[in-house]
Amino acid sequence: MQDFGAAFGEAFRLVAAFDPDLFEIIALSLRVSLLAVFIAAAVGLPLGATLAVARFPGRGGAVVFFNALMGLPPVVVGLVVYLLFSRAGPLGALGLLYTVTAMIIAQAVLVTPIIAALTRQLIEDMKPEYEEQLRVLGAGPFAMVMTLLWDARYSLLTAVLAGFGRAIAEVGAVIIVGGNINHVTRVMTTAIALETSKGDLALALALGIILVAIALVVNGLVMGLRDTAKRMGYA
Amino acid sequence: MLDRVRMSETEDHDGILPLVGAGISVRRNGRNLLDNVSLTFDGPAITALLGSNGAGKTMLLRVLANLVEPDTGTVQWGGRSPDAARAPRLGFVFQKPVMLRRSVLANMKYVLAAVGHDRASRTDRAWKALRWASLDRLASTPARLLSGGEQQRLAIARVMATEPEIMFLDEPSSGLDLASTALIEMLMRGAASRGTKVVVVTHDIAQARRLADDVIFLHQGQVLEHGPADSFFDAPKSKQARDYLAGRIPDSPTL
Ligand SMILES: Nc1ncnc2c1ncn2[C@@H]1O[C@H](COP(=O)(O)OP(=O)(O)O)[C@@H](O)[C@H]1O
Ligand SMILES: [Mg+2]
């Protein structure tokens, strides 16, 4: 019990002292997850909006597919990306396994279906209200997708933040494709897993505190966005 | 971009008038919402489309605007089937105005961009239209925070600014105060005098009398009367029109 209290004290000291090792890990985590979410948004937003607006054979199947991918376990994503990038895999020649790039790709794969599925739902809910107005203006499918994406911007940002929350907190994918190499591919979640198993609770707790703080900030942003949207009549 | 604006000014042979509906029927759930409706809109003048709730007025406008495919019959714009390219030449003010999740000014500019105005002329025209509709002091307000009447005015100004050949207005002044109603009537008259064909659905008989050059009376999906406004209001031919004008429930015994 004393150990535990001491660990907590040390954890806060590490955070307060801007411990360089600690902040190297935090910076890498943020870099990986922000880039992954950026890629996932660039793919998932137009993909989801297109699924909501377009009518093509097999659309129902595509919707179910992306909804199912939303619940994909990170370790499975990690495993698939690992198989792609492993030496014998189809993309093995790129030599990306155990690199930051592989981690970004894995998290992007994890988050894209989340953003796409949420976007599809949001845009589909908004479409009936807009459809006839846009059609009398002669808007084609592309103009319709762009207009709906812009007019749903507040809710979509919330979806993107949800994706970020999932990326920064997952451990299964990055540990498999990144390998948790010290100073190279070690991020917050993989560091917590390792340090805890080693018994170095102080660093693990310090990272845990930061992760919780990030979750709080993300949720604060989501709430702020909701309030702003409501205040502007955009809900 | 400038070329595009100039193009659209010289493209008059490519217009959508006369707008013709021939033998239009729309069936839903075994009921005829529209029953063999034929009519021609040619400008400029104001046509009032009258009929009790559920007569099919909104459905008729949606079919003529190419938003709903009729089950039988055809719609022709300027002698050809409707197409998206000419859609902006028809302005439609919906019964429930659709406000984009943007400011009043941005709503205005969006519509102008959609019909092909370049950035510079967009700003000019947007402000002009907002002043018309007395909405200029609300330019930066989110459009969805406007009152019902202000939204209706914005919806009308948005359509006016695109200078369509024909305008459909579906109950544009329901729920508006007298000043807003007068303003909207002035806007409609102004559009008609500039050469726009105006088709307006209203339940305000006095308004229809003030505005309309001719009247179409719709009853249970059928056009029962179509003729000059004076003769319609002074001597309606059908019993249904007499009932409607007198505010009687159709076919109910007189008390
Ligand atoms: N998509 C639809 N499916 C089934 N019935 C409809 C549909 N749209 C309208 N109706 C019905 O058609 C009738 C005419 O509607 P509408 O054109 O809106 O009447 P109004 O003359 O009051 O504008 C109403 O009874 C309405 O319930
Ligand atoms: Mg109606």
Side-chain angles (χ1 to χ4, degrees):
Chain A
M1 215 52 217
Q2 226 154 18
D3 276 4
F4 197 66
F8 248 110
E10 175 68 4
F12 278 109
R13 198 196 59 74
L14 284 173
V15 175
F18 288 100
D19 180 79
D21 278 351
L22 179 73
F23 276 82
E24 186 190 354
I25 295 173
I26 296 169
L28 182 64
S29 271
L30 288 174
R31 196 173 111 216
V32 168
S33 295
L34 284 173
L35 268 169
V37 167
F38 182 80
I39 295 167
V43 177
L45 291 173
L47 182 65
T50 303
L51 271 177
V53 168
R55 290 283 168 270
F56 55 91
R59 177 184 170 275
V63 167
V64 171
F65 179 71
F66 279 103
N67 280 349
L69 286 189
M70 218 164 83
L72 217 55
V75 276
V76 175
V77 173
L79 177 61
V80 170
V81 175
Y82 177 89
L83 291 174
L84 283 176
F85 289 138
S86 66
R87 191 140 344 135
L91 300 175
L94 297 175
L96 285 178
L97 200 59
Y98 304 131
T99 64
V100 169
T101 308
M103 294 158 72
I104 294 170
I105 291 171
Q107 288 198 345
V109 169
L110 182 74
V111 174
T112 300
I114 298 175
I115 294 181
L118 291 175
T119 301
R120 201 236 354 121
Q121 188 63 58
L122 288 164
I123 298 289
E124 212 167 280
D125 290 347
M126 209 159 104
K127 187 182 140 195
E129 186 194 337
Y130 278 54
E131 188 168 22
E132 295 208 327
Q133 174 68 63
L134 299 186
R135 275 181 56 202
V136 289
L137 291 169
F142 180 72
M144 201 164 297
V145 164
M146 296 312 286
T147 303
L148 288 167
L149 277 175
W150 179 251
D151 275 38
R153 58 199 178 280
Y154 284 93
S155 331
L156 292 176
L157 262 177
T158 304
V160 170
L161 283 172
F164 176 75
R166 174 116 156 124
I168 196 90
E170 73 84 24
V171 52
V174 277
I175 206 162
I176 293 180
V177 303
N180 195 23
I181 305 165
N182 203 5
H183 299 301
V184 184
T185 60
R186 182 162 300 172
V187 290
M188 287 193 271
T189 52
T190 58
I192 291 174
L194 178 72
E195 300 304 331
T196 306
S197 67
K198 283 198 322 200
D200 181 358
L201 293 183
L203 185 58
L205 273 171
L207 289 166
I209 291 165
I210 298 289
L211 267 179
V212 170
I214 289 174
L216 285 174
V217 168
V218 167
N219 277 292
L221 283 174
V222 167
M223 260 179 44
L225 277 170
R226 273 213 190 110
D227 287 352
T228 310
K230 232 180 237 149
R231 210 177 47 249
M232 313 249 277
Y234 294 161
Chain B
M1 271 315 227
L2 262 177
D3 287 349
R4 210 149 114 209
V5 176
R6 219 171 286 133
M7 280 263 294
S8 68
E9 279 165 6
T10 56
E11 256 172 14
D12 281 353
H13 60 281
D14 206 21
I16 64 169
L17 294 180
L19 193 154
V20 179
I24 293 167
S25 295
V26 172
R27 260 180 300 280
R28 294 282 188 277
N29 313 321
R31 200 158 63 94
N32 273 330
L33 306 188
L34 291 176
D35 189 359
N36 195 25
V37 173
S38 296
L39 44 73
T40 298
F41 288 136
D42 216 338
I46 301 183
T47 298
L49 177 55
L50 304 182
S52 45
N53 296 130
K57 305 178 297 294
T58 299
M59 182 57 85
L60 176 58
L61 294 183
R62 288 168 71 218
V63 170
L64 296 175
N66 194 32
L67 293 173
V68 175
E69 191 83 16
D71 292 308
T72 55
T74 56
V75 174
Q76 296 233 304
W77 290 358
R80 289 189 280 132
S81 297
D83 50 86
R86 288 182 295 159
R89 301 180 151 245
L90 185 153
F92 202 140
V93 178
F94 293 96
Q95 199 162 350
K96 187 170 175 296
V98 181
M99 295 287 114
L100 301 181
R101 287 159 171 81
R102 309 167 189 219
S103 71
V104 167
L105 182 63
N107 263 270
M108 208 72 212
K109 285 186 178 173
Y110 176 89
V111 169
L112 289 166
V115 303
H117 288 288
D118 64 285
R119 200 172 286 272
S121 87
R122 248 173 3 231
T123 309
D124 264 17
R125 281 168 180 268
W127 279 106
K128 212 170 97 197
L130 288 183
R131 279 192 294 271
W132 253 2
S134 312
L135 288 170
D136 43 329
R137 71 191 169 82
L138 296 170
S140 58
T141 308
R144 296 165 79 90
L145 297 185
L146 297 183
S147 76
E150 289 164 342
Q151 291 194 5
Q152 197 61 264
R153 248 153 58 202
L154 175 56
I156 293 173
R158 234 171 28 182
V159 163
M160 297 268 181
T162 65
E163 297 180 354
E165 284 176 64
I166 182 167
M167 286 179 61
F168 292 169
L169 300 107
D170 199 350
E171 304 192 25
S173 56
S174 60
L176 298 200
D177 62 27
L178 290 176
S180 296
T181 304
L183 178 66
I184 283 174
E185 288 183 14
M186 200 187 73
L187 292 175
M188 282 192 267
R189 278 208 197 86
S193 70
R194 278 197 309 277
T196 301
K197 171 78 200 164
V198 176
V199 180
V200 57
V201 174
T202 178
H203 290 296
D204 180 346
I205 303 299
Q207 177 178 62
R209 270 179 184 277
R210 282 195 297 274
L211 286 175
D213 298 296
D214 62 347
V215 170
I216 296 173
F217 180 72
L218 208 58
H219 179 76
Q220 295 181 358
Q222 290 182 317
V223 174
L224 292 191
E225 307 208 24
H226 187 175
D230 291 342
S231 47
F232 175 79
F233 289 118
D234 296 339
K237 290 194 277 295
S238 60
K239 179 178 181 311
Q240 289 86 345
R242 285 195 295 276
D243 283 341
Y244 175 74
L245 288 173
R248 275 192 299 268
I249 295 165
D251 303 320
S252 72
T254 36
L255 298 175

